[in-house]
Amino acid sequence: MNQNIAGILPASRWGKLIPIAFITYSLAYLDRANYGFGAAAGLAEDLNITPAISALLGALFFLGYFCFQVPGGIYAEKHSAKKLIFWSLILWGALATATGMVHSVALLAVIRFLLGVAESVVMPAMLIFLSHWFTRAERSKANTFLFLGNPITVLWMSILSGYLVNSFGWRGMFIIEGVPAILWAFIWWKIYADRPRDAKWLSEAEKRAVENALAAEQQSIKPVKNYREAFRSPKVLALAFIHFFWNIGMYGFIMWLPSMLKSASGMGIVATGWLSAAPYLLAVPLMLTASWFSDKYQQRKNIVLLFLGLGAVCFIASFTLGATHFWLSWVLLVIAGGAMYTPYGPFFAAIPEMLPRNVVAGAMSFVVCFGALGSFVGAWIVGYLNGLTGSPAASYVFMGGSLVVAVLLTALTTFSSLSTPTAQTRSAY
């Protein structure tokens, strides 16, 4: 791209936009992932929930999460992510807090499903939001800062939730951890801007520089008529199924890691929290390094393939060693968890590079939607197998096999754009 047309892209975008994206996604992740701690800390015993029902309750979130991904992404593109996420924050914060007040399984099931519905718009809306602000040469880094809200949140949530459960019980944990989302909604409303033209903190020249750079990128992408054509694209379908099988392993791991570690180690809930935090600590430097490499060298597929493959190998090796070699098995689980998180930025950076603006919101949401379905399957089946067999062995095989399928699909899929990209725009980042 001609630099005189695009200009130097303003560095202020990173300081203004990335923190609010990170915090919003972090709060969403806090209120979905803490169920595993509640389940490990007495929720099932207090409400007389069987292991099979507990697995279904843990997974109901993802069923609700699945239902509104595509409409949420399309609304964010055609109208406004600002209003959508404002009301989503208030609703999911209230529902997360209400989880600590339930006294019946039926009401808990309704809350878990509605919590998934409330949070379903966040990920597609955020990815669309970032695609309105960051170019091809920046997109993997921008996505990665968003997705860092996942491991960093689980890192401090694993430690904090252990202490909250120990001090206030599982009810107190849910109530306390639901309040920040409601408070953040009003900060979000004050700071957020949907597009460069809406940002009061950019000069007119800076607004034009970002808009021109993004518009020029669209010229290098093959036109797609409508959403139906986009959804039927072999590349979009391949990415959707990769995300599906990837998330079976990922969310089975996230939801049930505390319970599996507590059972295998025989340690208390606080120690389990510290052990559960380690994969997410490792994920942070891995994600940052991989996203930098991906943007600098425009590598998307190779990053996804390398780290998904590493995650699958370490996960299967951990299961093979078993509880008789607990600490070595735990180290391999830490590597597996960190590796599974690492490729998210490059993976989702590839989609706006394949498809034009008129269909990218629906296509991105479609891929996210399949991931949500995989999350539902992973969270439910893993919990169900743990309860049915009385050990994590069968669920390890199920998660490991799903990761292997994701790796094979990645190896067979082309991540490149549909035509020759333009030269990368200089960024002040």
Side-chain angles (χ1 to χ4, degrees):
M1 180 185 302
N2 189 327
Q3 183 184 325
N4 294 326
I5 296 174
I8 302 294
L9 302 183
S12 56
R13 294 168 302 147
W14 297 90
K16 291 282 188 179
L17 302 174
I18 294 300
I20 64 170
F22 173 83
I23 293 171
T24 303
Y25 192 62
S26 293
L27 292 174
Y29 216 82
L30 167 67
D31 289 328
R32 79 179 69 165
N34 59 6
Y35 181 82
F37 271 90
L43 182 152
E45 291 83 352
D46 290 351
L47 298 184
N48 297 314
I49 299 172
T50 66
I53 295 298
S54 182
L56 181 59
L57 287 169
L60 271 175
F61 169 90
F62 297 108
L63 188 59
Y65 197 69
F66 168 78
C67 293
F68 291 90
Q69 297 275 345
V70 174
I74 293 174
Y75 183 92
E77 174 67 33
K78 293 185 177 297
H79 301 286
S80 171
K82 184 172 185 173
K83 294 179 182 178
L84 191 66
I85 294 181
F86 173 79
W87 289 111
S88 175
L89 279 160
I90 292 176
L91 181 57
W92 96 56
L95 289 166
T97 297
T99 305
M101 304 177 186
V102 298
H103 291 277
S104 74
V105 176
L107 183 56
L108 180 59
V110 172
I111 288 174
R112 289 297 298 172
F113 177 79
L114 291 177
L115 184 65
V117 172
E119 291 189 13
S120 65
V121 302
V122 176
M123 186 171 169
M126 283 298 190
L127 288 168
I128 294 302
F129 156 56
L130 293 176
S131 75
H132 289 163
W133 280 92
F134 297 97
T135 64
R136 178 190 181 104
E138 310 166 305
R139 201 163 285 135
S140 181
K141 289 191 292 287
N143 287 349
T144 293
F145 281 119
L146 171 67
F147 287 116
L148 278 172
N150 181 321
I152 290 177
T153 300
V154 180
L155 172 61
W156 61 260
M157 182 274 294
S158 297
I159 298 168
L160 176 64
S161 295
Y163 282 106
L164 288 177
V165 165
N166 200 48
S167 301
F168 303 102
W170 64 267
R171 292 185 182 277
M173 179 199 73
F174 282 118
I175 292 169
I176 292 169
E177 292 183 348
V179 172
I182 300 172
L183 300 177
W184 179 251
F186 298 95
I187 299 173
W188 163 270
W189 185 262
K190 179 75 173 176
I191 299 174
Y192 179 82
D194 274 309
R195 297 172 186 267
R197 63 174 176 263
D198 302 320
K200 297 178 180 178
W201 41 270
L202 288 180
S203 68
E204 290 302 317
E206 288 173 327
K207 292 177 184 179
R208 285 195 300 272
V210 179
E211 296 281 6
N212 289 345
L214 294 171
E217 287 185 349
Q218 292 297 300
Q219 298 172 11
S220 68
I221 301 175
K222 181 181 176 181
V224 176
K225 288 189 297 185
N226 51 39
Y227 287 124
R228 177 179 293 183
E229 184 177 331
F231 295 163
R232 294 171 62 184
S233 162
K235 289 185 179 181
V236 172
L237 287 171
L239 292 176
F241 279 104
I242 291 168
H243 200 213
F244 173 79
F245 287 105
W246 180 359
N247 272 20
I248 287 178
M250 172 65 78
Y251 279 89
F253 178 88
I254 292 168
M255 288 293 295
W256 300 106
L257 181 64
S259 295
M260 291 190 291
L261 285 178
K262 188 172 185 293
S263 174
S265 68
M267 297 180 182
I269 191 65
V270 173
T272 299
W274 282 98
L275 290 175
S276 300
Y280 312 109
L281 181 62
L282 176 62
V284 174
L286 288 180
M287 291 175 75
L288 290 171
T289 302
S291 67
W292 175 87
F293 186 91
S294 176
D295 277 343
K296 183 173 179 62
Y297 297 102
Q298 287 298 295
Q299 293 292 323
R300 308 304 191 205
K301 174 178 175 175
N302 289 340
I303 294 290
V304 177
L305 187 60
L306 172 64
F307 285 98
L308 273 188
L310 177 62
V313 168
C314 289
F315 194 87
I316 293 168
S318 174
F319 159 69
T320 303
L321 287 172
T324 54
H325 299 85
F326 174 76
W327 288 109
L328 182 55
S329 179
W330 173 75
V331 168
L332 288 167
L333 270 184
V334 170
I335 298 171
M340 281 190 283
Y341 271 109
T342 300
Y344 274 117
F347 180 81
F348 282 102
I351 300 173
E353 296 165 8
M354 296 181 183
L355 296 163
R357 176 64 66 188
N358 66 307
V359 295
V360 73
M364 190 101 73
S365 303
F366 183 72
V367 174
V368 174
C369 182
F370 266 68
L373 186 60
S375 303
F376 169 76
V377 172
W380 179 24
I381 298 297
V382 169
Y384 176 78
L385 290 174
N386 287 346
L388 181 67
T389 64
S391 83
S395 59
Y396 267 92
V397 172
F398 175 66
M399 288 186 285
S402 297
L403 290 171
V404 169
V405 173
V407 171
L408 293 175
L409 286 173
T410 302
L412 296 172
T413 302
T414 302
F415 278 43
S416 60
S417 58
L418 298 181
S419 61
T420 304
T422 57
Q424 296 171 11
T425 302
R426 284 184 61 197
S427 168
Y429 172 72

